[in-house]
Amino acid sequence: MSSRGRRRRGEDLTKVLFVAPAALAMLALFGYPVLKNLMMSLQDYTLRTFFTGQAPWVGLRNYTTVVTDQIFSQAMVNTALFTIGSIAFQFAAGLALALFFRRRFPLSGLLRSLLLLPWLLPLIVSSATWRSILEQDSGILNRTLTGLGLIHDPVPWLNSPSVALIAVIGVNIWIGIPFNVTLLYSGLAEIPHELYEAGQLDGATGWRAFRYITWPNLRAVASVLLVLGVVYTIKVLDIILGLTGGGPANATQTLATQSYQRSFVDFKFGEGAALSNILIAISLLFAVVYLRGTRRAVDE
């Protein structure tokens, strides 16, 4: 072997040695829990297992049990509505606010900082605060709407099966807007101002400037933001538990709350693991399909 070949081989080995600790840490912190969760979903893993150490192998029975449960279809629909509704309005509001804050005006920095508060608050604190706001009889929202003459009777925001999911989606939108604003504002800041100046010479102003300059340059950030938003939103648990606990009448039950219910209320950890694996599969499927579609659109 020539000296150049030995040098290149040594460089490759050095690169591997630098990457190895991080790779081992990733496997230990993320790979093992995922594999353990997959194994649990194929076992009769219950509270008794912690005492006996025995978890009989049941194959796909846990998946069959949770999928054929009558609540599963409603939880799937609620998960889809919760995710789509939250992501759509979070992104739209975040983009509008990012475009607004791109203009320089007095106190813009202070207002951007205050906008981060919903994102910085612990979710259980936000849930408790919004629960008091949405209280049917003493909540400030109903009192305000009644005082303005917009409603005559208090709205049961968290107690009505027809309204509770909308209320929960609204709270999640409020929490997620700052994250969308932060990433979209950063993406807008990276667009060279010269492009807009050149566009003005060609008549690209207003909506045309957004369509032909802003959005094409913001598409990569938007793609990452939407994927992260879906992966995060589809597994939201604490907000729903803090507001409604999955009720009333399972109106706000999602796959995440069902997984929590099976694991930590019914102590059927195998079934809870099966539901969480279904969530992981849905998230991965969406990410792969969306990113491939986005890459194909960019290539074309």
Side-chain angles (χ1 to χ4, degrees):
M1 182 182 294
S2 64
S3 59
R4 173 178 289 184
R6 287 194 298 269
R7 190 184 311 114
R8 182 175 297 174
R9 187 173 180 180
E11 291 176 354
D12 293 339
L13 180 60
T14 302
K15 294 176 183 178
V16 171
L17 291 176
F18 273 112
V19 174
L24 291 175
M26 291 288 289
L27 288 174
L29 296 175
F30 298 101
Y32 174 75
V34 171
L35 290 176
K36 180 64 175 179
N37 195 68
L38 180 61
M39 294 294 294
M40 287 176 59
S41 70
L42 302 174
Q43 297 174 301
D44 184 17
Y45 209 104
T46 61
L47 189 62
R48 183 177 56 187
T49 304
F50 290 95
F51 298 96
T52 64
Q54 298 177 355
W57 188 268
V58 296
L60 298 177
R61 191 180 73 185
N62 288 328
Y63 290 91
T64 304
T65 301
V66 298
V67 170
T68 56
D69 191 283
Q70 59 180 358
I71 301 179
F72 180 80
S73 58
Q74 184 176 2
M76 279 287 291
V77 173
N78 289 343
T79 301
L81 293 175
F82 179 79
T83 303
I84 295 172
S86 296
I87 295 299
F89 285 97
Q90 284 176 1
F91 184 81
L95 181 58
L97 287 171
L99 291 170
F100 173 75
F101 282 115
R102 197 185 184 200
R103 303 175 180 178
R104 295 183 179 180
F105 58 91
L107 300 180
S108 62
L110 176 61
L111 292 177
R112 285 204 310 271
S113 301
L114 293 176
L115 194 63
L116 293 175
L117 286 178
W119 192 28
L120 298 177
L121 287 175
L123 292 180
I124 196 65
V125 174
S126 299
S127 300
T129 303
W130 274 100
R131 186 175 180 84
S132 64
I133 292 173
L134 297 173
E135 189 69 33
Q136 180 176 351
D137 297 321
S138 59
I140 189 173
L141 180 58
N142 276 337
R143 288 178 175 270
T144 301
L145 294 176
T146 303
L148 294 174
L150 298 177
I151 60 174
H152 299 289
D153 299 316
V155 179
W157 296 107
L158 302 177
N159 301 321
S160 171
S162 59
V163 180
L165 184 60
I166 298 174
V168 172
I169 292 174
V171 174
N172 192 57
I173 291 171
W174 177 81
I175 292 173
I177 285 176
F179 179 69
N180 284 257
V181 173
T182 301
L183 289 189
L184 291 171
Y185 182 83
S186 300
L188 289 173
E190 294 297 322
I191 302 176
H193 188 69
E194 291 77 8
L195 293 178
Y196 293 99
E197 294 177 349
Q200 289 179 353
L201 298 177
D202 295 330
T205 58
W207 166 249
R208 289 173 61 86
F210 175 82
R211 179 181 178 183
Y212 294 108
I213 300 175
T214 303
W215 181 247
N217 288 277
L218 199 62
R219 185 179 295 172
V221 175
S223 298
V224 174
L225 178 59
L226 290 174
V227 171
L228 291 177
V230 169
V231 171
Y232 172 78
T233 305
I234 203 172
K235 64 179 183 63
V236 165
L237 173 66
D238 32 21
I239 298 172
I240 300 176
L241 290 181
L243 289 172
T244 63
N250 296 316
T252 58
Q253 284 282 6
T254 63
L255 293 181
T257 59
Q258 269 293 288
S259 178
Y260 174 85
Q261 176 81 23
R262 298 287 180 126
S263 296
F264 302 109
V265 178
D266 301 334
F267 299 112
K268 298 179 180 179
F269 299 101
E271 295 179 6
L275 280 168
S276 64
N277 285 330
I278 292 174
L279 273 177
I280 293 173
I282 294 173
S283 300
L284 289 176
L285 179 63
F286 170 81
V288 170
V289 171
Y290 180 80
L291 290 177
R292 280 190 175 183
T294 304
R295 180 178 299 176
R296 189 178 299 113
V298 171
D299 294 339
E300 293 175 354

